[in-house]
């Protein structure tokens, strides 16, 4: 066996030692070890349109496994905090810098009501039964090497727990910063919204404007449990440095009358593979999934949205909108499954992309699997070029060509951005689109 | 200095087909010119060419404003030089709210208006811009809710035309080209739109009004009326010419200038004043 960073970290003894040092429950260790076995056998994720190239997996140093506080944490917090300081009002904030928790706050009243919003590693030591009850419930299959590594080498992450009928008014925000080369950030996010509760969770992934020479990887697994009649918003903005490989897997499970809204803005990174799976496990459940991407250079986004209707009277709506430039590539897999019992399901997905030049490629692959006979299920996909007549029209009002194109791009995103339930996430996506646009040369 | 839009011996092609075939026209600030003429005579081509539409190719002739060669300018530079086109078929731009877009346009034009220093406000802070926009909306009886609506998206034909004029009123051009702005409008709307145009009238505002109908001209009282046939201006006169056209149609002019469509009359066709 070649001894590499990753192999060392994956050794049985290393994993046992870290589980012990982190005071993890026994089931967590077996979970890690099981995934470790699988990691050796599974391949990197790939599809007809997407391959992972240019990531030297063997040399990645997994981070966030060592829990000892270091002086670097305080330095990191000092550096990270002002940059993360968002104008929006939050009820809680967690900041991880290269896998280490460097800042944590939660409104006192919420803590008093029993809301938990904390680093996943600490949560494992403090609330093992709670985590066990949800995390082990029908875990998603380990489908590839990355998902196995994420499970075997889980470092930090987030636990968010909202007790029954507690309504969290303002968003809880988790900021995840990756600023080093050759590291592997493997995270677990677990969100549990008990019946009748309400919460918004916003995740920001970024690199503080660091440009990396060599690749790093982020792999995150997010599990969301929406209890009966609970309402949950999960928003994520990915703005990694260009050398980062992003692997995100998210699963939401809803009980009767629960509502879940996913919102994602994909802007950074080199390659992004994202899977969002929504499982309608109770009647009357509703899911909305809004995703926006802006790809340039040789960026590649491979986005999967999966709606699984297993109960009657469920509603799903997926909206994906993206702008592509240069040689960028986007693949959208929209899957809808409607089980025989899921009568009166209403499921809709649409994917629209706008090309700024001739180079990019955008592919949409819908797949509908419908076994019930009284359902509505539709999909739409389109890809268009910038309209020269629109550009001319705007220019006759005094906007230069670049401004006119930007106005059209903004306009393309705007109706979808307005659908985003969190005002702060709306503003952030607008601002990031602006910034990304400004980095582009004048003539697009 | 009074600006003059000077079009000399203009020839324009689209996809190899010549549409405008030797056209001369001079529009000064302070003057209202109307262009009438049968369908397909090249009126819209003229309008789009003046603004620099990339599909229209000028093969001969010149267009200048205040001595500046407009043909060398991009559409936005022409706009900043003082031109405006109210489109016959305005484009819908999804997701771009009207007010945000207009504010951007006002800002984009600001440096030039400063240079002219005609006593106009140079840069309007947001509050002032809103006030101006609401004022102009009132003149055109455009509901305030339109400010937040996406540019022309879901507007009726009439609403689009009014919003074109609204844009003109906010941007305050020196020379405006109105391409069949009155087409498809009901009687009341024609009057409102005409009032809007008239609100700009003055020594600094010139307009080229392309229309099929005398009705709007009754309100605008143009200083000059031109008849365009097959890519040329074949007859010019005052308001009375429009009345005559409304009564008698174009047949008599076509007969009068029947020879104009033949090659031999090319030179004469270029100078409509001599004809009338």
């Amino acid at each position: 066996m070649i001894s590499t960073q990753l192999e060392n970290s994956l050794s049985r003894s290393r994993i046992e030692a870290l589980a012990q040092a982190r005071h993890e429950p026994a089931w967590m260790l077996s979970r890690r070890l099981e995934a470790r076995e699988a990691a050796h056998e599974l391949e990197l994720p790939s599809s007809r349109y997407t391959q992972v190239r240019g990531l030297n997996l063997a040399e990645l140093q997994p981070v966030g496994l060592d829990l000892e506080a270091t002086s670097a944490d305080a330095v990191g917090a000092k550096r990270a905090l002002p940059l993360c300081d968002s104008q929006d009002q939050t009820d809680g904030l967690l900041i991880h810098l290269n896998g280490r928790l460097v800042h944590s706050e939660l409104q006192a009243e919420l803590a008093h009501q029993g809301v938990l919003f904390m680093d996943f590693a600490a949560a494992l030591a403090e609330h093992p039964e709670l985590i066990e009850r949800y995390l082990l419930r029908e875990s998603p299959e380990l489908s590839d090497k990355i998902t196995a590594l994420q499970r075997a080498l889980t470092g930090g992450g987030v636990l968010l727990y909202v007790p029954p009928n507690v309504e969290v008014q303002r968003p809880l925000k988790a900021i995840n910063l990756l600023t080093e080369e050759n590291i592997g950030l493997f995270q677990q996010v677990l969100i549990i919204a008990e019946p009748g509760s309400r919460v918004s969770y916003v995740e920001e992934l970024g690199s503080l404007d660091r440009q990396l020479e060599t690749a790093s990887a982020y792999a995150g697994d997010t599990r969301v449990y929406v209890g009966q009649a609970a309402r949950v918003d999960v928003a994520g903005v990915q703005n990694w440095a260009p050398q980062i490989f992003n692997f995100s897997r998210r699963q939401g499970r809803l009980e009767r009358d629960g509502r879940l809204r996913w919102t994602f803005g994909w802007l950074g990174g080199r390659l992004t593979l994202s899977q969002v799976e929504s499982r309608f496990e109770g009647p009357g459940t509703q899911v909305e999934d809004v995703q926006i991407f802006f790809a340039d250079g040789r960026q590649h986004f491979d986005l999967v949205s999966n709606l699984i209707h297993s109960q009657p009277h469920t509603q799903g709506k997926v909206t994906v909108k993206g702008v592509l430039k240069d040689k960028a590539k986007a693949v959208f897999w929209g899957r809808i499954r409607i089980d025989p019992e899921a009568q009166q399901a209403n499921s809709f997905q649409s994917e629209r992309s706008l090309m700024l030049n001739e180079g990019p490629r955008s592919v949409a692959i819908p797949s509908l699997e419908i076994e019930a006979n009284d359902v509505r299920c539709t999909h739409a996909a389109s890809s268009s070029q910038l309209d020269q007549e629109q550009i001319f029209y705007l220019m006759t009002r005094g906007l230069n060509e670049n401004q006119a194109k930007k106005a059209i791009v903004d306009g393309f995103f705007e109706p979808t951005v307005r659908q985003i339930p969190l005002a702060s996430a709306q503003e952030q996506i607008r601002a990031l689109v602006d910034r990304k646009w400004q980095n582009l040369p004048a003539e697009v | 200095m009074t600006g003059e839009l000077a079009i000399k011996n203009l020839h324009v092609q689209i996809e190899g087909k010549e549409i405008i075939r030797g056209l001369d026209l001079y529009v000064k600030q302070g003057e209202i010119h109307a262009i009438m003429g049968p369908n397909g005579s090249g009126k819209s081509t003229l309008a789009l060419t003046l603004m620099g539409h990339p599909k229209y190719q000028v093969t001969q002739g010149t267009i200048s404003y205040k001595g500046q060669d407009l043909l060398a300018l991009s559409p936005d530079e022409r706009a900043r030089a003082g031109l405006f086109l109210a489109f016959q078929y305005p484009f819908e731009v999804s997701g771009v709210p009207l007010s945000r877009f207009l504010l951007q346009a006002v800002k984009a034009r600001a440096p030039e208006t400063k240079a002219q220093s005609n006593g106009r406000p140079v840069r309007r802070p947001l509050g002032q811009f809103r006030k101006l926009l609401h004022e102009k909306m009132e003149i055109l009886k455009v509901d305030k809710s339109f400010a937040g609506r996406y540019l022309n998206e879901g507007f009726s034909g009439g609403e689009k035309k009014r919003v074109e004029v609204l844009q003109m009123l906010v941007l305050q051009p020196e020379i405006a080209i109105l391409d069949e702005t009155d087409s498809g409008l009901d009687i009341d709307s024609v009057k409102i739109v005409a009032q809007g145009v008239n609100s700009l009238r003055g020594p600094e505002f010139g307009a080229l009004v392309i229309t099929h109908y005398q009705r709007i001209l009754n309100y605008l009282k143009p200083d000059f009326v031109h008849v365009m046939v097959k890519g040329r201006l074949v007859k010019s006169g005052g308001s009375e010419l429009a009345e005559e056209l409304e009564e008698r149609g174009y047949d008599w002019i076509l007969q009068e200038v029947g020879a104009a469509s033949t090659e031999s009359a090319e030179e004469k066709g270029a100078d409509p004043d001599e004809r009338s």
Side-chain angles (χ1 to χ4, degrees):
Chain A
M1 189 191 285
I2 310 159
S3 176
T4 65
Q5 289 281 15
L6 195 69
E7 280 302 338
N8 288 340
S9 310
L10 267 181
S11 78
R12 192 180 176 92
S13 57
R14 285 285 278 271
I15 290 181
E16 281 168 351
L18 82 89
Q20 194 179 12
R22 290 161 62 106
H23 307 290
E24 290 182 353
W27 58 262
M28 185 68 185
L29 175 60
S30 22
R31 190 170 186 266
R32 286 185 188 276
L33 293 174
E34 204 178 295
R36 169 192 175 268
E37 296 294 320
H40 286 106
E41 281 152 32
L42 291 166
E43 301 289 326
L44 282 169
S46 71
S47 76
R48 184 152 35 121
Y49 302 99
T50 304
Q51 269 82 40
V52 180
R53 292 202 188 97
L55 176 63
N56 189 355
L57 207 56
E59 286 308 318
L60 293 185
Q61 170 72 53
V63 294
L65 294 168
D66 181 5
L67 289 187
E68 298 273 308
T70 68
S71 56
D73 292 350
V75 175
K78 223 177 212 172
R79 206 174 118 218
L81 246 181
L83 291 159
C84 311
D85 192 28
S86 51
Q87 327 76 329
D88 61 85
Q89 306 288 310
T90 57
D91 275 339
L93 177 64
L94 292 176
I95 303 176
H96 286 87
L97 177 61
N98 297 314
R100 302 184 65 85
L101 180 76
V102 295
H103 181 85
S104 159
E105 59 184 277
L106 176 65
Q107 201 216 6
E109 175 58 24
L110 291 174
H112 182 71
Q113 287 178 301
V115 172
L116 302 175
F117 186 53
M118 61 197 298
D119 179 45
F120 189 76
L124 263 178
E126 288 174 38
H127 306 281
E129 305 82 16
L130 178 70
I131 295 177
E132 183 183 6
R133 200 175 336 136
Y134 288 92
L135 198 63
L136 296 193
R137 197 194 277 183
E138 221 185 296
S139 281
E141 198 192 336
L142 292 175
S143 51
D144 56 66
K145 203 184 222 24
I146 299 290
T147 53
L149 286 176
Q150 183 276 330
R151 199 174 290 179
L153 298 172
T154 298
V158 174
L159 170 70
L160 166 57
Y161 173 80
V162 187
N165 300 315
V166 170
E167 297 194 1
V168 181
Q169 300 297 334
R170 299 187 295 185
L172 302 176
K173 187 183 248 187
I175 295 173
N176 215 335
L177 303 168
L178 199 172
T179 60
E180 302 294 329
E181 289 156 4
N182 297 322
I183 64 173
L185 189 52
F186 302 111
Q187 299 227 314
Q188 181 68 53
V189 176
L190 180 60
I191 298 171
I192 303 158
E194 294 278 20
S197 68
R198 214 177 245 244
V199 69
S200 298
Y201 169 76
V202 185
E203 189 174 83
E204 287 181 27
L205 309 177
S207 304
L208 299 175
D209 290 329
R210 276 288 311 267
Q211 304 297 313
L212 310 182
E213 290 291 316
T214 56
S216 280
Y218 162 86
D221 180 55
T222 301
R223 309 269 288 276
V224 184
Y225 291 88
V226 182
Q228 188 171 331
R231 291 187 180 197
V232 178
D233 280 313
V234 175
V237 178
Q238 187 268 79
N239 192 36
W240 294 130
Q243 281 300 339
I244 295 175
F245 287 71
N246 181 99
F247 305 92
S248 300
R249 188 146 86 149
R250 294 176 167 101
Q251 186 193 59
R253 304 171 71 157
L254 296 90
E255 292 179 9
R256 175 184 284 271
D257 297 328
R259 281 200 204 175
L260 173 59
R261 295 191 291 192
W262 305 103
T263 306
F264 304 112
W266 303 106
L267 293 131
R270 176 161 160 189
L271 170 69
T272 290
L273 280 95
S274 160
Q275 276 188 47
V276 180
E277 182 179 279
S278 309
R279 304 180 77 102
F280 302 80
E281 298 184 337
T285 44
Q286 294 180 24
V287 170
E288 208 172 313
D289 176 358
V290 178
Q291 308 201 31
I292 284 170
F293 65 86
F294 185 176
D296 67 0
R298 292 193 168 269
Q299 273 188 308
H300 184 138
F301 294 103
D302 184 300
L303 310 174
V304 179
S305 178
N306 234 333
L307 300 177
I308 301 171
H309 298 259
S310 329
Q311 291 286 323
H313 300 287
T314 54
Q315 277 183 46
K317 186 180 172 199
V318 180
T319 310
V320 178
K321 232 174 197 189
V323 169
L324 294 101
K325 184 186 168 271
D326 307 328
K327 299 231 167 242
K329 197 164 153 185
V331 188
F332 171 66
W333 309 81
R335 300 182 185 133
I336 296 176
R337 196 174 91 208
I338 301 183
D339 291 340
E341 353 10 288
Q343 296 293 3
Q344 279 95 47
N346 193 341
S347 207
F348 172 73
Q349 47 164 275
S350 79
E351 195 272 346
R352 284 186 61 201
S353 51
L354 176 65
M355 312 288 194
L356 299 189
N357 56 353
E358 300 286 335
R361 181 151 183 235
S362 164
V363 190
I365 308 115
S367 104
L368 312 178
E369 215 179 298
I370 302 168
E371 293 181 45
N373 55 15
D374 181 17
V375 299
R376 285 194 58 190
C377 185
T378 48
H379 69 89
S382 72
S383 168
S384 54
Q385 300 279 336
L386 275 177
D387 182 345
Q388 295 303 319
E389 297 289 352
Q390 282 186 342
I391 293 173
F392 172 68
Y393 181 60
L394 298 179
M395 287 178 75
T396 65
R397 297 334 189 210
L399 275 62
N400 65 34
E401 192 174 348
N402 189 48
Q403 289 171 323
K405 286 176 176 174
K406 174 65 167 36
I408 293 168
V409 166
D410 283 346
F412 177 77
F413 282 131
E414 183 62 21
T416 310
V417 171
R418 281 192 191 183
Q419 282 179 40
I420 296 174
L422 305 168
S424 60
Q426 288 189 9
E427 275 317 306
Q428 203 193 0
I429 288 175
R430 286 194 193 101
L432 288 174
V433 168
D434 280 353
R435 277 192 47 185
K436 190 153 179 168
W437 185 269
Q438 278 162 29
N439 290 337
L440 309 178
E443 81 270 18
V444 169
Chain B
M1 169 187 128
T2 302
E4 183 182 58
L5 175 67
I7 307 164
K8 292 181 194 165
N9 189 32
L10 185 68
H11 290 253
V12 180
Q13 282 188 359
I14 180 162
E15 285 151 9
K17 192 179 171 219
E18 187 163 59
I19 308 287
I20 294 184
R21 306 187 297 164
L23 183 143
D24 292 69
L25 178 65
Y26 302 88
V27 181
K28 287 195 178 79
Q29 282 181 293
E31 295 175 353
I32 303 273
H33 291 246
I35 295 188
M36 304 182 80
N39 293 326
S41 55
K43 302 186 296 294
S44 287
T45 297
L46 175 63
L48 292 167
T49 303
L50 290 173
M51 282 319 288
H53 192 293
K55 274 192 188 154
Y56 296 91
Q57 203 191 345
V58 175
T59 52
Q60 260 190 71
T62 58
I63 305 174
S64 64
Y65 180 63
K66 290 185 171 169
Q68 191 177 14
D69 176 13
L70 287 191
L71 293 176
L73 302 184
S74 59
D76 57 311
E77 289 167 336
R78 297 182 197 202
R80 292 198 289 269
L83 264 64
F84 179 90
L85 170 62
F87 282 64
Q88 184 182 2
Y89 303 110
F91 290 94
E92 298 186 1
V93 190
S94 183
V96 176
L98 174 64
S99 63
R100 197 191 293 174
F101 163 62
L102 272 177
L103 179 62
Q104 198 186 2
V106 166
K107 283 181 181 165
R109 297 163 68 106
E112 268 72 10
T113 39
K114 184 178 185 177
Q116 287 151 17
S117 67
N118 285 335
R120 282 183 209 162
V122 173
R123 256 181 192 282
R124 300 181 183 86
L126 192 60
Q128 259 175 297
F129 169 75
R130 289 235 173 86
K131 193 168 159 263
L132 175 82
L133 180 61
H134 288 163
E135 219 175 86
K136 304 299 185 189
M137 287 177 122
E138 209 138 293
I139 295 177
L140 292 165
K141 301 200 164 45
V142 172
D143 191 86
K144 285 199 174 69
S145 66
F146 276 71
R149 288 183 61 182
Y150 298 146
L151 192 52
N152 295 325
E153 193 177 62
F155 294 11
S156 72
E159 286 164 349
K160 283 182 186 172
K161 296 297 185 70
R162 275 196 214 192
V163 167
E164 288 292 290
V165 177
L166 173 68
Q167 293 182 43
M168 179 177 84
L169 262 52
V170 169
L171 297 176
Q172 303 180 358
E174 296 176 10
I175 302 286
I177 304 141
L178 291 98
D179 189 4
E180 296 198 27
T181 299
D182 56 333
S183 292
L185 293 185
D186 59 43
I187 303 169
D188 292 337
S189 300
V190 170
K191 191 174 169 185
I192 290 165
V193 160
Q195 280 167 354
V197 177
N198 280 333
S199 74
L200 287 183
R201 280 204 83 158
E204 284 167 25
F205 178 70
L208 183 58
V209 180
I210 296 169
T211 180
H212 282 296
Y213 309 103
Q214 192 207 342
R215 196 184 299 129
I216 192 166
L217 301 181
N218 287 341
Y219 299 113
L220 294 183
K221 302 197 169 44
D223 305 294
F224 304 93
V225 175
H226 311 275
V227 179
M228 188 163 178
V229 175
K230 291 185 178 163
R232 296 188 189 95
L233 299 185
V234 296
K235 195 171 181 69
S236 295
S239 307
E240 74 291 341
L241 179 56
E243 285 165 36
E244 202 174 351
L245 290 168
E246 182 88 359
E247 258 172 53
R248 299 174 61 191
Y250 293 114
D251 278 355
W252 64 280
I253 293 192
L254 294 177
Q255 278 163 19
E256 204 178 297
V257 301
S261 58
T262 67
E263 294 301 313
S264 61
E266 194 141 31
E267 286 310 304
K268 285 168 97 181
D271 192 349
D273 280 332
E274 247 177 45
R275 286 194 165 261
S276 58

